Amino acid sequence: MGCCGSTQGKRDWKPLEERSCTDIPWLIIFTLFCIGMVCICGFTLATGAASRLISGYDSYGNTCGHNNSKVEGVELSGRNMVDNKYVFFLDPCNIDLINRRVNSISLCVSKCPATELQTFADLKQFAINNGSALCNYDIAPSRYPGHPDRQKKCPKLPVPPSKAVPLFNRCVPTDLGCFAEFAQAFVSFVSDNNVLRRVVAGLMASKDIIMGLCVLALVLSLIMMVIIRYISKVLVWILTVLVVIGTLAGTGVLWWLYVDHKTALENKTHSVFGKEVASDNVTALLIYAIIATVFTVVLLLVMFFMRKRVALTIALFHVAGKVFIHLPLLAVQPFWTFLCLMLFWVYWIGVLLFLGTAGTPVKNNATNLVEFQMQGPLQYMVWYHAVGLIWISEFILACQQMTIAGAVVTYYFTRNKSQMPATPILSSMARTFRYHLGTVAKGSFIITLVKIPRLILTYIHSQLKGKENACARCMLKSCVCCLWCLEKCLAYLNQNAYTATAINSTSFCTSARDAFIILVENALRVAAINTIGDFVLFLAKVLVVSCTAFAGVLALNYQREYTVWVLPLFIVCLFAFLVAHCFLSVFENVVDVLFLCFAVDSKYNDGSPGREYYMDKSLMEFVENSKKMGRYKQGDGSGREMKSMT
């Protein structure tokens, strides 16, 4: 179960030769954890927290619409509220924004007032006519007008008309008087603000255009994947040249600006203040120019040493395009994952709301009212529930990565593509659920271990904003950045560990170790793919957004009555980026899986009989060309051939 559980020596990779369950102890741990999450939900249902949230409860511990039991020390508790199904607040405008609750006595009533009640006589008449008492339970309706405590135990007059909120059974005023001025100011702002009115009108009137542009973004993303496959060679080299020219031009402009500002500072007279400003500008330009020069030199050196590896990136892009032709359902994997995440998040939020009303009723001696509090170990259920949000969310994302890895591995290591499963994605998903859920649980837990401290430190840092302790804030910020970088590195290693598990059916730690060794042996190739490949995909996303935005400008310009395009165009561009990110991120994952498969294939096979390559023809051509370029004669005339690393 530990990360160093594997003690075996060097072991050959055996793609798809055997399949066994991996990390079973972690699957048991994760299953027990999920059972704990279900128990929390069951606890809230069994203790009445769910019914209190939906049906509502009064200030004395009575759940509306139910026959309640007595709360010790509370005189007005234990009442039969079967006929009183709605929660009514005596002062609904008294809202505690900090604690996010209505700071008022609440009662269970049988009907919400549909009209405004201006006097205590009106309250009395409403109770007699409708059988719904709006004052405290210990006051008879006939005593409303003359009771000495009517100001405290009856609603604040005038009582605005209200109606019950669907599902949650709370009487909510249709027109809150305490918000009347705010509402009036907002309405006045909307009606008087021509820009806002035009924006809203343009948004509603151009909804058809927005939907059409969203479909265009979807089509462009699919086209971009095809383009990357068929003209990847030209595209990659064009982008590489543009990067080189851009960095050189940017560095040259910074040095030119530095020289120009320095010459102007030496030749012109300035005031004391103006001279200081000009001197600061010269210093800043010098620093920027030096940083840009160092960055440019490093970038050029890296691209020089990786120039031969660019061909591998191009070949992998080409093969990735073929993968999507054989496995078209890969493109819709993010949508299924998003749907699962949404369902889990809805469940999580619902249980969290239940926990807000869970616990035992406790009398508050200061107010003589009842509050529900979780005491003892039960109060830590919220923290348990919060950890579940992160771990299970990461688990769902990891299932997607394992499914993609399994499908691509099956494609790569199947020599005869006609012998592939009829539904490779479903087959990969079935293998994941049958054999590798423990590995997925362990990998997602490692990410959770890093993410939770980062979130805690981020919260502490936000609380220290504006405080005098700048040193503490700086240290916290550094810790947050380090944990973020560690999380990204672990996520990348996890993804490759899932690929190794899909290939060899080994445990998480064994797979992570094997994948790490392979990646270290191919460090330059990894750098080329991560830099050039990620940059190409990022520019592809930008291109999709730019084309969609250009089409949006033309379409909106055609509708001459719309003068404000800000909101429609922003919505379209945001949707275009998200769609492009969904498609191209899966493309990026496929490229990473293909590279690990290629590295394993090229390490353990050489093309000889019995050790034939599994790789695609384009990758095989890359290997053969690399071998030809890597051979050279040794200078001592011995005739021995040496091979450089390809």
Side-chain angles (χ1 to χ4, degrees):
M1 199 167 71
C3 273
C4 297
S6 178
T7 57
Q8 62 182 0
K10 183 178 179 181
R11 179 186 49 75
D12 291 342
W13 293 65
K14 298 179 180 179
L16 304 177
E17 290 187 10
E18 56 185 15
R19 188 65 56 185
S20 61
C21 296
T22 56
D23 295 299
I24 296 177
W26 278 94
L27 176 59
I28 296 174
I29 293 174
F30 181 74
T31 303
L32 293 175
F33 182 86
C34 292
I35 292 174
M37 293 284 290
V38 174
C39 288
I40 291 177
C41 180
F43 170 80
T44 60
L45 295 174
T47 57
S51 61
R52 281 195 293 270
L53 175 67
I54 297 175
S55 301
Y57 59 95
D58 63 14
S59 298
Y60 307 103
N62 300 301
T63 301
C64 300
H66 294 75
N67 191 5
N68 301 275
S69 57
K70 185 75 175 180
V71 178
E72 185 178 356
V74 181
E75 181 180 354
L76 298 177
S77 62
R79 301 174 71 90
N80 188 350
M81 297 293 181
V82 174
D83 296 328
N84 299 335
K85 299 180 180 180
Y86 306 106
V87 181
F88 177 77
F89 298 96
L90 300 188
D91 188 7
C93 293
N94 190 3
I95 299 176
D96 187 352
L97 296 177
I98 297 177
N99 296 318
R100 296 175 296 277
R101 64 180 182 182
V102 179
N103 205 9
S104 167
I105 294 178
S106 58
L107 304 173
C108 293
V109 299
S110 59
K111 185 177 181 181
C112 302
T115 58
E116 185 178 73
L117 306 177
Q118 298 182 350
T119 64
F120 291 104
D122 293 339
L123 293 177
K124 172 185 174 181
Q125 194 63 36
F126 178 80
I128 294 173
N129 294 339
N130 300 284
S132 182
L134 302 184
C135 291
N136 218 357
Y137 304 136
D138 57 356
I139 305 178
S142 60
R143 301 182 59 193
Y144 285 176
H147 197 279
D149 293 332
R150 62 182 182 277
Q151 298 294 341
K152 296 180 180 179
K153 296 186 177 182
C154 288
K156 184 179 179 181
L157 297 177
V159 179
S162 60
K163 61 180 180 179
V165 177
L167 184 63
F168 290 103
N169 299 320
R170 269 73 169 178
C171 293
V172 177
T174 56
D175 184 18
L176 286 176
C178 50
F179 296 138
E181 294 182 2
F182 170 78
Q184 183 179 0
F186 178 77
V187 172
S188 299
F189 173 75
V190 172
S191 60
D192 294 339
N193 194 314
N194 293 327
V195 175
L196 182 60
R197 188 169 64 249
R198 291 200 303 270
V199 168
V200 175
L203 179 63
M204 296 304 297
S206 57
K207 57 183 181 296
D208 295 335
I209 296 178
I210 293 175
M211 294 178 64
L213 291 173
C214 291
V215 174
L216 175 64
L218 184 64
V219 174
L220 287 176
S221 299
L222 294 172
I223 293 175
M224 185 56 62
M225 294 177 68
V226 177
I227 290 176
I228 291 176
R229 180 203 165 185
Y230 286 105
I231 62 170
S232 55
K233 184 174 183 179
V234 177
L235 184 64
V236 170
W237 282 114
I238 289 175
L239 294 177
T240 303
V241 172
L242 289 176
V243 170
V244 173
I245 294 176
T247 52
L248 290 174
T251 304
V253 169
L254 284 173
W255 280 112
W256 175 77
L257 289 173
Y258 165 72
V259 173
D260 184 63
H261 279 69
K262 186 177 181 181
T263 304
L265 179 64
E266 293 174 350
N267 296 337
K268 295 182 180 179
T269 58
H270 297 273
S271 63
V272 177
F273 179 75
K275 191 172 184 179
E276 291 179 354
V277 173
S279 178
D280 291 340
N281 289 335
V282 171
T283 304
L285 285 171
L286 177 61
I287 295 173
Y288 293 154
I290 292 174
I291 294 174
T293 302
V294 173
F295 174 79
T296 302
V297 171
V298 172
L299 179 65
L300 293 178
L301 288 175
V302 170
M303 298 189 74
F304 175 77
F305 286 111
M306 293 193 312
R307 68 190 187 281
K308 295 180 181 179
R309 277 84 182 175
V310 174
L312 176 59
T313 305
I314 296 171
L316 285 173
F317 274 31
H318 186 75
V319 177
K322 291 184 178 180
V323 171
F324 276 93
I325 292 178
H326 286 85
L327 311 175
L329 290 180
L330 280 177
V332 300
Q333 272 301 115
F335 297 103
W336 291 112
T337 304
F338 178 74
L339 179 61
C340 294
L341 285 173
M342 286 299 297
L343 293 175
F344 169 68
W345 289 341
V346 169
Y347 161 82
W348 187 88
I349 292 173
V351 176
L352 182 65
L353 293 176
F354 293 161
L355 286 173
T357 57
T360 56
V362 178
K363 181 181 178 182
N364 189 330
N365 294 324
T367 60
N368 291 324
L369 302 178
V370 172
E371 297 176 354
F372 290 91
Q373 299 177 356
M374 287 190 296
Q375 300 173 343
L378 295 178
Q379 60 186 327
Y380 298 107
M381 286 196 301
V382 177
W383 294 103
Y384 188 97
H385 195 59
V387 174
L389 171 66
I390 301 175
W391 191 2
I392 297 179
S393 297
E394 291 293 335
F395 178 84
I396 294 173
L397 294 173
C399 284
Q400 172 183 287
Q401 294 176 343
M402 180 66 83
T403 301
I404 293 174
V408 177
V409 165
T410 302
Y411 170 84
Y412 187 96
F413 288 108
T414 301
R415 298 187 188 278
N416 187 357
K417 306 305 181 186
S418 62
Q419 297 179 353
M420 287 183 59
T423 55
I425 302 295
L426 295 179
S427 299
S428 176
M429 192 178 299
R431 285 198 306 272
T432 298
F433 280 89
R434 183 177 178 182
Y435 298 109
H436 305 312
L437 282 184
T439 299
V440 173
K442 189 173 184 178
S444 57
F445 180 75
I446 291 174
I447 296 296
T448 304
L449 278 183
V450 178
K451 183 168 289 187
I452 290 177
R454 182 171 68 86
L455 292 175
I456 294 174
L457 291 177
T458 302
Y459 174 77
I460 296 174
H461 179 265
S462 65
Q463 295 300 311
L464 289 177
K465 281 186 177 180
K467 303 294 176 63
E468 296 180 359
N469 197 343
C471 182
R473 294 201 309 271
C474 182
M475 292 178 62
L476 281 173
K477 190 71 172 178
S478 301
C479 292
V480 170
C481 292
C482 291
L483 287 173
W484 182 84
C485 295
L486 179 61
E487 180 188 332
K488 296 303 177 185
C489 293
L490 287 175
Y492 181 74
L493 184 61
N494 277 10
Q495 179 181 331
N496 288 284
Y498 299 147
T499 304
T501 298
I503 295 174
N504 266 347
S505 190
T506 50
S507 65
F508 176 83
C509 290
T510 302
S511 300
R513 183 199 63 189
D514 295 342
F516 180 75
I517 293 173
I518 287 288
L519 294 176
V520 170
E521 291 175 351
N522 297 269
L524 286 178
R525 290 173 174 175
V526 173
I529 292 169
N530 285 343
T531 53
I532 299 173
D534 291 352
F535 182 71
V536 169
L537 293 177
F538 171 75
L539 289 183
K541 297 174 188 177
V542 173
L543 185 60
V544 170
V545 175
S546 301
C547 293
T548 306
F550 179 72
V553 170
L554 293 180
L556 292 170
N557 184 58
Y558 180 75
Q559 305 290 336
R560 291 305 179 101
E561 63 269 21
Y562 307 144
T563 57
V564 179
W565 306 339
V566 177
L567 194 55
L569 203 58
F570 174 78
I571 293 175
V572 167
C573 292
L574 179 62
F575 181 83
F577 179 80
L578 291 177
V579 170
H581 180 72
C582 285
F583 280 96
L584 296 177
S585 293
V586 175
F587 193 93
E588 181 181 355
N589 292 338
V590 170
V591 170
D592 291 336
V593 175
L594 284 174
F595 171 74
L596 193 61
C597 295
F598 164 77
V600 172
D601 191 14
S602 58
K603 180 178 181 179
Y604 291 97
N605 298 309
D606 56 9
S608 60
R611 299 180 64 184
E612 294 86 357
Y613 289 120
Y614 288 93
M615 63 186 67
D616 187 86
K617 287 184 179 180
S618 57
L619 289 174
M620 203 173 297
E621 290 175 0
F622 166 80
V623 173
E624 295 299 328
N625 292 335
S626 298
K627 286 182 178 179
K628 291 178 182 179
M629 295 176 62
R631 296 190 182 98
Y632 64 92
K633 296 292 184 179
Q634 193 176 15
D636 58 3
S638 62
R640 289 177 298 171
E641 291 186 351
M642 302 292 293
K643 294 183 180 181
S644 63
M645 289 184 61
T646 58

